Amino acid sequence: MTPLNTPHLAALHLAADQKSAQVTDWSGRIGWIVGLLLFIALVYWLMREGWKWRGTLQSDLPELLGAPAEPGTARLSMRGRYHGSTTAGQWLDRIVAHGLGTRSRAEVTLTDAGVDVVRPGAKDFFIPTAQLREARLDKGIAGKVLTEGGLLIVTWQHGDKLIDSGFRSDHAAEQSAWVEAINSMKHPVTTEGTAQ
C-alpha cells in the first residue's frame, strides 16, 4: 500500500471545492442600461419643455433691435463669450425669449449709438445708448459663476423690462474699461468730478 501524497490530495480537494464562474445576466444589465437611457431622455425632455415654457411666459418681451446701418466709430470692442441675460438684479431669473438665453461666442462693439452684440450661431442684438442703464463687474449670472469681477454685466431697458446681460472677454482686464465707458455715456463726469 503506497502512502497518500498529501499535496496531491489537497489539490484534489481544492479542485472539487471550486465552482464555475457565474454566467453574466445580460438581460438584467441591458434592462438597467435601457432604463437609465430612458431616464436621461425624460430629464432632457423636461428641461427642454421648461425652456420653451419660460420662453412662452416671456413672449411679451419686444423683438430685439438690429444694429443701425451707421452705428458710428467704435469706442471699444471685445471678443469673448455671451453668457446670457436675466431680469435685472435677479441673477438666477434667466431670460430665454428671442434667443437671449442662448450662450455663444460674441463680438461686442461700443459706439456712440450703443452696444452691438454679434453672435455667430445665435441671434445678434443691439442695445441703443438711450436704453443703457449701467455696467458693472460681477461674479455670476444664471448658469455661470466666476471669481469676483469675472463677468461684465450690462444693465439695459428693453420694453418695460430691465435686463442684465453677462459677457466675459477673452482678455478679462479690458472689462473695467467697458464699465467706465458705458457708465460715462449715461452719467458724464465734468472736470470737477461731479455728475452733470
Side-chain angles (χ1 to χ4, degrees), residues 25-48:
D25 180 15
W26 284 106
S27 62
R29 287 191 182 199
I30 289 172
W32 274 104
I33 290 171
V34 168
L36 181 62
L37 291 175
L38 288 173
F39 176 74
I40 291 170
L42 174 66
V43 169
Y44 175 77
W45 179 79
L46 288 172
M47 288 171 58
R48 187 166 180 246

Side-chain angles (χ1 to χ4, degrees), residues 31-157:
W32 274 104
I33 290 171
V34 168
L36 181 62
L37 291 175
L38 288 173
F39 176 74
I40 291 170
L42 174 66
V43 169
Y44 175 77
W45 179 79
L46 288 172
M47 288 171 58
R48 187 166 180 246
E49 290 301 306
W51 189 269
K52 286 164 56 175
W53 176 72
R54 182 174 280 272
T56 302
L57 288 178
Q58 298 167 350
S59 62
D60 61 335
L61 199 66
E63 279 292 326
L64 298 173
L65 299 176
E70 294 295 328
T73 307
R75 294 175 69 174
L76 288 172
S77 63
M78 75 171 167
R79 290 175 183 251
R81 293 202 64 81
Y82 167 77
H83 285 289
S85 293
T86 63
T87 301
Q90 299 177 22
W91 72 285
L92 290 176
D93 186 20
R94 185 188 301 264
I95 295 175
V96 301
H98 308 302
L100 286 175
T102 306
R103 287 185 180 175
S104 61
R105 291 286 304 161
E107 293 180 18
V108 188
T109 306
L110 176 67
T111 66
D112 289 333
V115 178
D116 186 22
V117 182
V118 177
R119 302 186 301 157
K123 189 173 183 178
D124 302 341
F125 62 96
F126 183 77
I127 307 168
T129 302
Q131 293 178 353
L132 290 172
R133 295 298 175 257
E134 71 166 341
R136 69 183 186 281
L137 297 179
D138 212 330
K139 65 180 177 180
I141 198 161
K144 186 66 174 180
V145 178
L146 296 168
T147 57
E148 191 65 47
L151 279 176
L152 169 65
I153 305 294
V154 177
T155 303
W156 53 292
Q157 182 87 34

